[in-house]
Amino acid sequence: MFAKEQAYAALILPDLQGLEAESSASASTRVLTKASPGNRAERFATDDGAIVLCGQWAIRISVQPDSDYGPRILLEPLDRDGGEVPEDVASRLLSDIVLETLADSPADIIEWYAPETLIGRDDFIKLRRFVDVDFTDLTDLIAEDLPEFEDGPFPEVSEDLDDPTQIKRRLDRLQAELAAIDGPALRIGAASWMMTAVLAIVALPVAAALAVVGLVRGMDFRLASQVMSVTMLFAALENTDSLNRVLNQILH
């Protein structure tokens, strides 16, 4: 009925406490039901855990008291017709189920797709929070953090512009504001925004987050260059299939 898919995630526990399939099965039921609206989830017990089925997709849950890193709960996405689960579907299902399971699980390490790719519990949660930002509501998100004027974003002019004294006062104010603009700082800011635009081609979520910071706190050239350097490095490692090896070296 099912064919094993290479994609998988595993929750690694510090000890045998919490090594059970119930939390992951409940999380899988919720995630699969949401991913397959109109279908009812079914749960089947297995010798080492459970299988949760809903619509086209299923999750095999295997409880393993012993592994290379200790007790773990293995999650594998399955296609009920025996085909391969598409990469984007598998990744999203696994990510959602792991996040839901962590609410009730003492697991402190996530094994993602390969034994050498290990992600700490807190790091995984932070990554998911970042990915879950709805960038379609980016304008509302920015507006919430921007200061508000007392009379709205464009306050009405109360001065009588027919009065030469009032006109001179406003011109002096405008001149002072223009004088406060630092030419080099303006160019550096423009360069930072250009880097953000280039970054959007490679990693749109990262660029959007950087844009939010720039709009709320002011664009920082050093921050923009550091974010771009790290993102480009990870993109290069991913394209050369070296990311897992490098992460393994860093974590160990």
Side-chain angles (χ1 to χ4, degrees), residues 14-198:
D15 51 44
L16 293 175
Q17 184 176 359
L19 185 65
E20 44 80 24
E22 179 59 31
S23 295
S24 296
S26 297
S28 298
T29 299
R30 292 191 295 270
V31 171
L32 288 174
T33 300
K34 185 177 180 180
S36 303
N39 292 285
R40 181 180 178 182
E42 301 176 83
R43 187 184 305 185
F44 306 94
T46 62
D47 292 339
D48 60 351
I51 290 179
V52 180
L53 169 67
C54 186
Q56 185 66 28
W57 316 119
I59 298 293
R60 187 201 307 274
I61 305 165
S62 302
V63 176
Q64 302 176 342
D66 297 312
S67 73
D68 293 341
Y69 302 108
R72 74 172 187 169
I73 301 172
L74 179 65
L75 306 172
E76 300 170 284
L78 306 170
D79 184 310
R80 71 179 304 160
D81 295 332
E84 291 187 357
V85 181
E87 172 64 23
D88 58 336
V89 175
S91 178
R92 189 66 192 189
L93 289 177
L94 290 173
S95 181
D96 288 347
I97 293 170
V98 168
L99 186 65
E100 292 244 4
T101 304
L102 286 177
D104 300 316
S105 173
D108 54 356
I109 298 174
I110 310 303
E111 182 180 332
W112 188 259
Y113 277 56
E116 62 270 17
T117 304
L118 304 176
I119 307 173
R121 175 193 182 98
D122 293 340
D123 291 335
F124 184 88
I125 294 174
K126 290 177 182 178
L127 287 170
R128 270 305 308 265
R129 286 176 179 172
F130 175 76
V131 172
D132 283 343
V133 173
D134 186 356
F135 295 105
T136 60
D137 297 331
L138 191 58
T139 303
D140 296 335
L141 178 64
I142 294 170
E144 292 177 359
D145 293 330
L146 290 177
E148 294 183 359
F149 294 101
E150 293 181 359
D151 297 323
F154 299 101
E156 296 181 0
V157 178
S158 59
E159 294 92 345
D160 183 1
L161 295 183
D162 291 333
D163 185 348
T165 303
Q166 296 293 349
I167 294 175
K168 184 177 185 306
R169 182 179 301 172
R170 287 184 58 82
L171 288 175
D172 290 342
R173 185 188 309 169
L174 179 59
Q175 184 177 4
E177 292 175 355
L178 292 175
I181 299 177
D182 187 351
L186 190 60
R187 290 193 293 271
I188 290 177
S192 301
W193 283 109
M194 288 182 64
M195 282 195 293
T196 304
V198 174

